[in-house]
Amino acid sequence: MQIGYNTPTEKFVESVKKGIENEVEKATNTVEKGNYFLKWILTRVFNATDDDAENGILDGPNDHGIDAILEVHGNEISFFRIFQSKYGTSHKPDEIIAFRAKMYEFL
């Protein structure tokens, strides 16, 4: 059965959802789901290689809320992207505010 789309945006959104679902269905628990989701984001949205994404994922105890770090090499400058991700319904506004405050400590 083919799904009808009213706009190209709807088709794009459905494609993204399906891509994420295909990635996280490999997981056997919620932590793995979060890591698969994060890897999907790093490789599909931020163009990280699979190796860079896997090596950049830090999620664990004492990580200060940082789930991944990617080093970006530019022509004139290099920098780091710091990620904090939530999959599904595991996010809360207070956690986002706390993470933002922790990032100011690094600056």
Side-chain angles (χ1 to χ4, degrees), residues 9 22 24 32 38 40 47 53 58 69 73 75 79 86-87 91-96 104 107:
T9 302
N22 288 340
V24 300
E32 283 185 358
L38 179 55
W40 190 93
N47 298 314
L58 309 171
I69 297 176
H73 300 283
N75 291 334
F79 57 93
K86 298 291 183 192
Y87 176 74
H91 55 282
K92 296 179 180 100
D94 289 345
E95 291 176 5
I96 296 168
Y104 281 113
L107 299 177

Side-chain angles (χ1 to χ4, degrees), residues 1-7 10-11 14-15 18 21:
M1 180 173 100
Q2 183 156 354
I3 298 173
Y5 300 103
N6 294 322
T7 67
E10 288 177 356
K11 186 175 182 180
E14 189 60 33
S15 173
K18 189 66 174 165
E21 287 171 5

Side-chain angles (χ1 to χ4, degrees), residues 14 21-22 25-26 33 53 66 72 78 93 98:
E14 189 60 33
E21 287 171 5
N22 288 340
E25 71 183 9
K26 302 171 192 172
K33 281 184 181 183
I66 298 172
V72 179
S78 293

Side-chain angles (χ1 to χ4, degrees), residues 53-69:
E54 289 173 11
N55 291 331
I57 293 175
L58 309 171
D59 195 22
N62 302 316
D63 63 8
H64 297 284
I66 298 172
D67 292 333
I69 297 176

